[in-house]
Amino acid sequence: MEKERFEWLSLARNLAAEAGVLIRAASESVRSEGAGQEKSCSVDLVTEYDRQAEDIILSKIRDRYPGHGIISEESNPKGELKKVTWVVDPIDGTTNFIAGLPEVAVSIGIIVDGKPEVGVVYNPIRNEIFHAVRGCGAFLDDRPIHVNKGITLSQAIVCVEFGYVRTNEGAVTMLEPVRKLLSRSVRTIRMIGSGTLDLCFVACGRLDAVYAGVAGEGWYPWDYAAGGLIAEEAGAKLCKVDGSEFSIFGDSVVCSSPSIVGDILEVIRPESEN
């Protein structure tokens, strides 16, 4: 399977770059077009460019590998899980994209028997491409990357994403870990707006940890499949917010430098488990 994985990597990189051309060109006008449409709720948006980028990617996967499964955020979110399945988010960070913020990514992961084996994440606005093949390390623009090692919580930049939960109870639950982190003198808190880039930023040391899912606002397989593998190959520790084993089909994530994962879990675990 070694040769196949690198063939998949090559195609995924090419498809991400091709979709990226569309996204980069559209980014100059999308805000003035008022392009965002509501999807699951008023804060979950999609544009015609999400769908166009998805068409570019999926059509060529189907042509090249008709026997492979596909899970894709816009047109096939439930998908069909096969031995080899491509997991695609054509534009992760759609709200950023509409607003003219640069943290936008194409995410393409390839999983085998449910386990990520290849991941590509491309930010066409910044022209940065992250990739990983299981067991072969993680890379940014073909340069090896690694998580920050040996840091303490007081040195850490921690990222949180609030997702689409907008109830009062959910807001309180999501904000409580932020309060605890600040009271324990974390260096700072950030919110990037793209889950897959959050994972890649932990991988390359721009962030030291990211978590999501404390109030049911967790991510989806297309958020995790590529970025999670890249982070893991860069030395990050991944688990669920309760400390149990991470899965791309799960409902929460902690992705962290190993030296502070215990501190992060202590802060974000539900009160009943502390």
Side-chain angles (χ1 to χ4, degrees):
M1 191 173 69
E2 191 74 12
K3 180 181 177 182
E4 289 178 313
R5 292 192 304 168
F6 282 94
E7 289 176 351
W8 301 337
L9 172 65
S10 178
L11 178 59
R13 289 183 60 141
N14 289 340
L15 294 178
E18 187 174 347
V21 171
L22 167 73
I23 295 164
R24 187 165 52 249
S27 68
E28 299 175 4
S29 60
V30 66
R31 187 174 185 183
S32 63
E33 293 173 358
Q37 302 170 3
E38 293 182 12
K39 194 166 51 172
S40 64
C41 63
S42 63
V43 293
D44 182 13
L45 302 178
V46 65
T47 72
E48 63 179 292
Y49 301 109
D50 292 75
R51 298 184 178 103
Q52 290 177 21
E54 187 179 65
D55 287 344
I56 289 170
I57 296 166
L58 301 195
S59 63
K60 295 190 176 179
I61 295 172
R62 291 181 177 120
D63 286 346
R64 182 82 170 268
Y65 298 110
H68 287 188
I70 294 176
I71 297 173
S72 188
E73 180 179 13
E74 306 307 338
S75 67
N76 201 22
K78 295 186 178 179
E80 183 180 1
L81 195 61
K82 296 186 178 181
K83 181 173 180 60
V84 180
T85 303
W86 295 65
V87 185
V88 176
D89 191 344
I91 303 181
D92 187 44
T94 298
T95 300
N96 285 353
F97 175 59
I98 294 168
L101 296 169
E103 308 308 345
V104 173
V106 181
S107 177
I108 304 175
I110 298 101
I111 62 176
V112 179
D113 294 327
K115 184 177 182 179
E117 292 290 336
V118 176
V120 171
V121 174
Y122 177 50
N123 181 336
I125 313 302
R126 296 192 184 276
N127 194 28
E128 292 183 331
I129 189 163
F130 298 84
H131 81 264
V133 174
R134 182 169 295 281
C136 299
F139 299 84
L140 166 56
D141 295 335
D142 295 318
R143 299 188 304 273
I145 54 175
H146 306 279
V147 299
N148 291 327
K149 297 179 180 179
I151 61 164
T152 63
L153 191 61
S154 64
Q155 299 170 315
I157 300 175
V158 177
C159 181
V160 57
E161 300 290 354
F162 288 153
Y164 307 130
V165 172
R166 292 297 183 271
T167 64
N168 183 68
E169 181 181 4
V172 170
T173 301
M174 290 187 292
L175 289 169
E176 180 61 11
V178 174
R179 183 194 65 78
K180 288 181 178 179
L181 285 167
L182 292 172
S183 70
R184 297 188 188 195
S185 299
V186 68
R187 176 161 288 171
T188 192
I189 304 288
R190 289 291 182 266
M191 186 179 296
I192 306 300
S194 165
T196 193
L197 284 178
D198 294 342
L199 297 167
C200 291
F201 287 178
V202 173
C204 70
R206 294 175 184 171
L207 298 172
D208 298 300
V210 60
Y211 69 88
V214 296
E217 81 293 2
W219 301 342
Y220 297 93
W222 45 85
D223 297 310
Y224 300 125
L229 176 64
I230 291 165
E232 184 181 352
E233 286 293 312
K237 169 69 175 177
L238 279 84
C239 60
K240 297 175 68 173
V241 296
D242 63 1
S244 61
E245 184 178 359
F246 172 74
S247 165
I248 69 166
F249 300 102
D251 57 1
S252 69
V253 65
V254 175
C255 175
S256 173
S257 168
S259 62
I260 60 167
V261 67
D263 296 309
I264 300 297
L265 287 171
E266 184 179 348
V267 166
I268 67 174
R269 275 193 179 113
E271 290 293 337
S272 61
E273 297 181 17
N274 284 335

